[in-house]
Each structure stands twice: as structure tokens, then as C-alpha cells.
Amino acid sequence: MFKDNKKPEDNNKFNKNKFKYMIYYAIAVILVVYLINDYIVNTGSKQIKYTNFINMVSQKQVKEVKFTKDKIIIYPNKDTEYGDKILYTGRLEEDKEVLDRLNKSNVAYDQVIPKQDGPIRSFIFNGLLPFLLLMMIGRFFFGRIDKKLGSGVMSFGKNTAKIYAENETGVTFKDVAGQEEAKESLVEIVDFLHNPQKYSQIGAKLPKGALLVGPPGTGKTLLAKAVAGEAKVPFFSLSGSSFVEMFVGMGAARVRDLFKQAQEKAPCIIFIDEIDAIGKSREGNISGNDEREQTLNQLLAEMDGFDSSKGVVILAATNRPEILDKALLRPGRFDRRVIVDRPDLKGREEILKVHSKGVKISDTVDLNSIAKSTPGAVGADLANIINEGALRAVKNNREEVIQEDLEEAVEIIIAGKEKKDRILSGKEKRAVAFHEVGHALVAALLTHTDPVHKITIVPRTMGALGYTMQLPTEEKYLTTKEEMFDQICVMLGGRAAEEVEFKSISTGASNDIEKATETARSMVTIYGMTDRFDMMGLESMSNRYLDGRRATNCSEQTVAEIDEETLKIIKAAHKKSIQVLEENKDLLTKIAVRLLEKETIMGEEFMSLVKGEENDSMESIEEFDTNK
Ligand code: ADP
Ligand code: ZN
């Protein structure tokens, strides 16, 4: 994104500046004249003590004296130590005999008649100059604050600094991969921007705005830019959170300004990122946020006010559509929703392809397998993986990126960088190895699980001391009850292996426990997989595109029952994984020993170890029973 700092009214601005500089220039000249004047008046004159003056008079060193309102100006004789200098001293009211003394020494004296300042002169010095000086000081200080805040305090509302504008985004739909549905719904908008008359002739009204909804990093900004790029129109963008930051009234002024600028440049795209920051529902909000509300109202007013036939289309992005104010979603505002969800396998492969275009990649690289190993990754992650891979290739002095670079990059994104300098004691290392093999073995021996791709006990910077990676053979959109239960068994398999081998347990399973509990809970509350609650919905996802926080929709008593039911599932899964590992204890030990030697075991090697000694007595997994 390149930032366009040029303001549209640049010509105007130049004139304004010129005027400003003229004023500054004038002030500078006046100041200099004033100072020089002062200098001339004061040079060559010197203050002396009153007693000195009396002495000089009595010693006949003084030629002439002039009285002013508060000073006595003394012209000494040429042969004194002061020479040509003019001296002065304060008028001492107590000394009533000054005149006698002067008379005695034959000194000429008189009173200076104060010069009456002409009206112009007095206006300049008493009125204009102080005023201009004050203004300059004010400017100076406010100018400072101005710069610090990055926006105009003085030029309130005219500020455009936070608006990003691009005349040509240069992004096209080709750059956005794996979002076919989203692109399809936006094609119409592109056509409209190309050719607004075509629509207005028939009388068709196009939506003023579309809301792009999806998790962070899925390419919402990119899509908005692509729409502008395809239609070859300017792109204005502003982040919702930047509206609501400083002073009350600022956000509204920004909105007004944004629309004004955009309408001048129509046809164009206005993109508002994180619109939930302003568009948060006003209901049930007791504390209230004046600033946000004002900004939202201004936005609504602007959206209603502008004439869409000119070709201004507003795109907004959010990952929390459920909290948006209903007013925003009314017809004539953001009445279209474009879902920009996490890409599926094919989408991920395409995104990888798009991003590997500018990178030298070996012909042997299989992007499909990288895509397979990154379920749940969004476009931003995938772009990052390609870049990490390229960095690793450079680090290893290679001219091309190879498969290994990308595989390592995937792990860096998932688990952090390898941390070879973290030294574990022998005992801890054994615990980690058994824990990880526990996960892997439960996964291999249960039926409804994904195959093991890799087991490693190389510590990673994001806190993992080791991990087991499972990869689905194909992209799945549905998960069965049996699969969910087996997943929980696999998650608990790590701790189970510690119990089976060491008869003691460690803190290493905290993350497993968290995930297992969450899965078990959603079986109870969201997916209706227990007999007790049948198909009753007990929780709903309130934050689907972010962390998936849940809201409970049931009585407190039921909440307690949910806990019981969740516990039942976890206990059953725990029991199952212990049973599986007890029955295959030799295999567990054998693979753990191999892992301690090699630190990393890949899926194929692992499976051949398992197959070599497969325990035929493994009966098929019976149902867990929640009705006991
Ligand atoms: P969002 O606005 O949804 O949070 P962005 O549009 O800012 O996400 O995406 C961040 C970066 O991730 C993009 O600049 C781009 O490099 C990459 N990216 C995300 N989604 C895609 C995609 N579908 N195709 C190609 N690149 C993508
Ligand atoms: Zn674990």
C-alpha cells in the first residue's frame, strides 16, 4: 500500500502558504527594525550610580544634563574618562538639591519633552506588533502539537492524513486466489463502476455498499483493491479504528471529508477496514461512546446522502458481522454480504501459486502437499510461508526454494522457529518423547483419525517442546461424532503415555487438555451429540471469524449439567487412550527410543514401525457411553 500524502487542494494550499509566508516575513522585518532602533538608542550610553553623578557634577566633569520622566541623561566633558559617551542615572526624588548643585557647577540643564508617537507608529508598536508576536508564538506551539498527533488540531476536520488514496491499485482479480464466490459477487460492482450509465438508463439501482465478512488475513483488503484495480478507479481507504481515537467530533469530520474527496474523484471505491470499530451495535451499550456514535451517524448520513449513480461504491470489511449495528445493514447501505472465508485445499494451493510467482522455486516443489499440510491457514499465512521458505533458501545459499524450505516454513508458522539451544535434561527429553509418541500411537491405532505426518522433539520458539503433526488425507467439511471422540483420545494420548510409562504426570499436557475440553464441550453444547441433551442448542458462537468465543443460552442448572456431560466424554477418552497404550506398551517404548535417537520421525517411518508390530488384538473402538 503506498501512501498518498498529496492533498487534492494542493493548488489552493500553495496560495495559502504564500500568504502565510508573507506575514511571517513582515513580522521578521518589523522585529529587526524594532531591535535595531533599540540598539541605536542604547548604544554608547552607560548607566552610572547617582553618587557618581553628584561627584562628577561637583568635580565639574559634566557639560550638560537633561531630565526625562525617570532618567537624568548626562553629557560629560570630553576630557573625562567617559569621552564621548552619554551617561544616565535614575532620578532620585529624595535629592531636592540637584538643581542647586548643577547651578553651583555651571551645568546647563533642561527637561526633555516626551516625543508624541504618531498614530501609525503607536498602532504598530502597541497594537499590531504584540498581536503578531502572540500569533507567531501560538502557531509555533500548536504547530508542534500538530505534528506530534499527526493530524491538524488547528485545521480540524480538513485533515486528510489518515486517508490512504491510490489512483491505481494495480491489483486485479488474478492476484486474489481461492475466493471464487467472493469474486463472482464483486464482478457486478466492477461492471457498474466501468459503466454506471448502463445501469442508470434502465433504472437499476446498485447497492451502495458491500460488506466483506471473514477471518483476518483472508484477503478482504486485497479483494477491495482488486475491485478498484479491475475497474481502474481510485481507491480510498480508511480503518474504522482510526476514526475512533482522539477527540469527539474528529471521526465524524473524517467521514465527511472522506466522502467529499471520494465524490470529487468518482467513480471510485471507498474501503473501510474494521468497520465494527465504528459500527458496533448501539443496543445494550450502557456506557455509550459519543465519539463512535457520532461517527456512525455521520457515516449513515453520508451513505444515505450521496448519489450512487455517480459511481461511488463503499466496501467495508469486518470479522465480527454479528455485532454490527442493524442500521448499517439496512437496504441502501451495506445490504450485500460477501463471505471471504478460509480457503479450502484447492484455494490454498492457488494462493501458494500466486505468491510463488515472484520467487524462484524449484520444479520439484509440490505446492499441493504444502497446501495439504496447512488446513485452516489463511492467505496471509500462506504468503508468509512462501516468504519464510525463500528466506531459508537464501540462508542456505541456495538459488532456488526447495520443498524442504517450504516444509520448514510451515512449521515455523505453526510452532515457531527451531530452538536448538534449549537444553532439556535427559529425563525431560524422555518425557517429551513418550508424550509425543503417545499422541502419534493413539492416532495410528484408532480408526477415525488422520494419519501421522511427523513427530519431533526439537523445541520450537513458540513454546512447544515437541509436537506431533497429523495431516488429513483429504479436505473434510464434516466431522462425525466418532471422529471427534477419537480426536479427543489423540489429544489426551500424550498425557496417557506419560502415565503408562512413568506412572507420573507433568505439566506438559496443558494445551492438550484445553483443546480436548473445548472439543468435548462443543460436542455437548453445539453439535447435539449427547443423549442427555439430544439436539438442544446450548451455546452459540458469537465470534465465528475470530477466536470463536461462545455464549451460553441456557439456565445455570443446565450449565452445571453441561460440565458433567463434558467430563464424562473426557474421562471416557482418557480411559480409551490409556487402554490403547497399555496394550501396545512395547511399541510405545520402541518408537520413543527411536525418537530420542533421531529427534524427528516422519510419517512413513513411523507407520512401518507400527505395522511391524501391529497388535492384532486391538478390537474396534466401542462407543463411549454418556448415559451411565
Ligand atoms: P484481510 O484484509 O482479510 O485481513 P488482507 O487482504 O490484508 O487480509 O491480506 C493480507 C495479505 O495476505 C495480502 O496482502 C496477500 O498478500 C495475502 N492474501 C490474503 N488472501 C489472499 C488470497 N486469497 N490470495 C492471494 N493472497 C492473499
Ligand atoms: Zn501433547
Side-chain angles (χ1 to χ4, degrees):
M1 205 187 279
F2 86 82
K3 193 175 161 183
D4 189 355
N5 278 326
K6 256 193 235 133
K7 301 182 184 178
E9 324 112 305
D10 253 0
N11 289 331
N12 254 337
K13 186 122 201 279
F14 179 68
N15 285 334
K16 256 191 232 159
N17 273 346
K18 218 166 142 187
F19 179 66
K20 213 155 74 184
Y21 285 119
M22 263 169 62
I23 291 187
Y24 287 163
Y25 182 71
I27 290 173
V29 168
I30 293 173
L31 257 183
V32 167
V33 168
Y34 191 75
L35 287 176
I36 288 178
N37 185 41
D38 206 49
Y39 181 76
I40 292 170
V41 168
N42 284 321
T43 38
S45 69
K46 184 175 187 286
Q47 186 178 5
I48 56 170
K49 285 216 164 73
Y50 196 81
T51 42
N52 277 3
F53 162 62
I54 303 289
N55 286 340
M56 284 175 76
V57 170
S58 56
Q59 285 165 28
K60 303 226 160 106
Q61 287 177 351
V62 178
K63 196 171 81 193
E64 195 188 337
V65 161
K66 280 183 181 163
F67 291 91
T68 71
K69 234 172 86 197
D70 45 12
K71 264 192 239 170
I72 305 173
I73 299 171
I74 307 145
Y75 298 84
N77 281 327
K78 284 225 158 60
D79 48 353
T80 60
E81 55 177 307
Y82 300 105
D84 269 345
K85 264 203 182 128
I86 301 165
L87 307 175
Y88 64 93
T89 187
R91 270 185 79 154
L92 197 66
E93 302 290 337
E94 285 76 15
D95 186 7
K96 305 277 184 246
E97 297 124 53
V98 200
L99 295 185
D100 286 347
R101 292 179 210 273
L102 292 175
N103 284 335
K104 237 185 244 162
S105 305
N106 270 338
V107 178
Y109 55 86
D110 69 2
Q111 171 92 30
V112 176
I113 303 159
K115 242 194 238 127
Q116 209 64 59
D117 269 356
I120 293 176
R121 201 182 137 91
S122 97
F123 170 69
I124 288 177
F125 283 101
N126 302 330
L128 196 58
L129 201 70
F131 175 72
L132 288 179
L133 264 173
L134 269 178
M135 232 176 74
M136 223 164 71
I137 292 169
R139 269 264 140 193
F140 180 74
F141 280 111
F142 279 115
R144 284 284 160 106
I145 294 171
D146 231 58
K147 268 175 209 146
K148 259 196 208 143
L149 295 178
S151 62
V153 175
M154 303 283 275
S155 62
F156 210 72
K158 286 198 194 77
N159 183 280
T160 57
K162 290 264 162 113
I163 299 173
Y164 291 88
E166 283 177 57
N167 275 330
E168 283 271 343
T169 60
V171 180
T172 65
F173 280 149
K174 274 205 204 92
D175 300 308
V176 191
Q179 297 290 358
E180 299 312 318
E181 295 86 5
K183 278 196 258 180
E184 247 165 58
S185 19
L186 292 171
V187 164
E188 204 181 17
I189 291 180
V190 173
D191 189 48
F192 168 64
L193 288 170
H194 262 314
N195 215 337
Q197 300 90 337
K198 193 169 101 189
Y199 290 81
S200 57
Q201 263 168 13
I202 293 191
K205 279 204 190 83
L206 250 105
K208 282 185 179 171
L211 196 60
L212 304 171
V213 178
T218 44
K220 295 184 291 297
T221 312
L222 196 67
L223 263 170
K225 279 191 181 177
V227 171
E230 288 281 338
K232 299 205 169 53
V233 299
F235 178 77
F236 290 90
S237 105
L238 203 55
S239 167
S241 58
S242 76
F243 279 129
V244 192
E245 43 178 23
M246 277 189 307
F247 307 109
V248 173
M250 196 80 157
R254 282 217 179 114
V255 171
R256 213 175 304 128
D257 208 47
L258 175 67
F259 277 82
K260 201 176 126 231
Q261 278 191 47
Q263 264 163 319
E264 278 163 16
K265 288 239 177 166
C268 67
I269 295 277
I270 299 179
F271 177 64
I272 304 175
D273 206 355
E274 301 175 59
I275 192 162
D276 39 278
I278 11 174
K280 217 179 266 177
S281 175
R282 286 169 291 191
E283 293 160 25
N285 191 354
I286 314 149
S287 64
N289 180 335
D290 274 356
E291 166 63 347
R292 205 185 52 226
E293 221 160 90
Q294 269 192 28
T295 311
L296 176 59
N297 287 336
Q298 185 68 35
L299 180 65
L300 295 175
E302 292 286 351
M303 283 191 80
D304 291 343
F306 82 77
D307 178 10
S308 66
S309 65
K310 267 195 201 149
V312 178
V313 172
I314 306 163
L315 299 176
T318 181
N319 34 43
R320 311 173 68 192
E322 65 280 352
I323 65 160
L324 287 184
D325 200 292
K326 296 282 171 291
L328 268 175
L329 306 173
R330 264 211 294 274
R333 291 167 185 163
F334 294 107
D335 48 0
R336 282 212 179 175
R337 257 184 208 223
V338 178
I339 305 289
V340 189
D341 217 338
R342 293 176 193 279
D344 57 7
L345 177 61
K346 192 163 148 277
R348 290 198 299 275
E349 190 178 344
E350 274 163 22
I351 295 175
L352 286 169
K353 267 191 205 139
V354 165
H355 285 277
S356 58
K357 254 181 210 141
V359 180
K360 272 195 196 141
I361 287 211
S362 159
D363 295 336
T364 58
V365 163
D366 178 10
L367 289 179
N368 181 268
S369 98
I370 301 294
K372 267 192 187 147
S373 66
T374 47
V378 295
D381 298 331
L382 297 167
N384 204 356
I385 285 171
I386 295 280
N387 192 46
E388 281 287 344
L391 290 178
R392 187 170 181 270
V394 173
K395 204 167 113 202
N396 294 334
N397 291 320
R398 247 180 273 111
E399 305 250 297
E400 286 180 330
V401 178
I402 59 170
Q403 190 76 7
E404 210 188 302
D405 295 327
L406 294 177
E407 275 167 9
E408 174 62 21
V410 170
E411 283 177 55
I412 289 175
I413 305 294
I414 294 173
K417 278 201 158 59
E418 282 190 357
K419 203 165 176 189
K420 291 234 159 87
D421 56 346
R422 169 169 292 162
I423 307 211
L424 294 180
S425 68
K427 204 171 142 206
E428 278 174 333
K429 222 168 174 180
R430 265 178 73 80
V432 176
F434 273 90
H435 180 108
E436 293 310 329
V437 176
H439 284 306
L441 211 50
V442 174
L445 296 174
L446 294 185
T447 22
H448 309 284
T449 53
D450 293 328
V452 173
H453 176 71
K454 181 177 181 176
I455 320 170
T456 174
I457 51 168
V458 178
R460 296 264 163 179
T461 44
M462 271 149 77
L465 296 177
Y467 62 90
T468 303
M469 215 167 138
Q470 282 173 274
L471 285 187
T473 35
E474 57 201 7
E475 188 90 348
K476 265 192 285 206
Y477 299 98
L478 288 174
T479 312
T480 62
K481 179 177 172 184
E482 291 74 25
E483 282 164 347
M484 281 188 103
F485 181 68
D486 281 4
Q487 274 172 15
I488 300 174
C489 294
V490 173
M491 291 170 198
L492 300 180
R495 161 66 68 81
E498 291 179 55
E499 286 170 278
V500 168
E501 175 66 21
F502 306 111
K503 306 275 180 281
S504 83
I505 54 181
S506 74
T507 55
S510 59
N511 190 253
D512 299 336
I513 289 170
E514 197 181 317
K515 277 197 288 186
T517 310
E518 201 186 298
T519 312
R521 203 178 172 80
S522 29
M523 287 175 77
V524 181
T525 60
I526 296 177
Y527 300 117
M529 288 178 175
T530 53
D531 291 338
R532 182 159 181 177
F533 292 115
D534 206 327
M535 282 179 61
M536 186 176 179
L538 301 169
E539 278 181 346
S540 53
M541 292 265 204
S542 69
N543 227 344
R544 206 165 98 70
Y545 294 109
L546 290 174
D547 49 6
R549 208 174 307 127
R550 285 98 164 264
T552 32
N553 319 322
C554 53
S555 72
E556 239 154 76
Q557 191 198 343
T558 315
V559 171
E561 287 175 31
I562 290 173
D563 291 340
E564 270 170 40
E565 216 53 22
T566 308
L567 182 61
K568 243 187 226 171
I569 296 177
I570 288 176
K571 279 198 164 159
H574 189 182
K575 208 171 128 200
K576 178 100 271 164
S577 49
I578 288 197
Q579 185 198 338
V580 169
L581 294 174
E582 287 281 10
E583 281 167 14
N584 295 276
K585 205 172 163 196
D586 294 344
L587 195 52
L588 173 68
T589 316
K590 190 175 130 191
I591 301 176
V593 168
R594 175 73 68 90
L595 184 60
L596 279 166
E597 270 166 33
K598 296 186 65 177
E599 294 205 326
T600 301
I601 299 180
M602 295 309 290
E604 284 154 32
E605 189 184 354
F606 170 74
M607 279 322 286
S608 71
L609 283 169
V610 174
K611 289 232 169 72
E613 237 168 275
E614 197 163 13
N615 196 336
D616 291 326
S617 69
M618 260 314 294
E619 74 257 53
S620 72
I621 305 309
E622 73 249 38
E623 254 301 276
F624 65 95
D625 186 4
T626 59
N627 292 320
K628 253 179 234 162

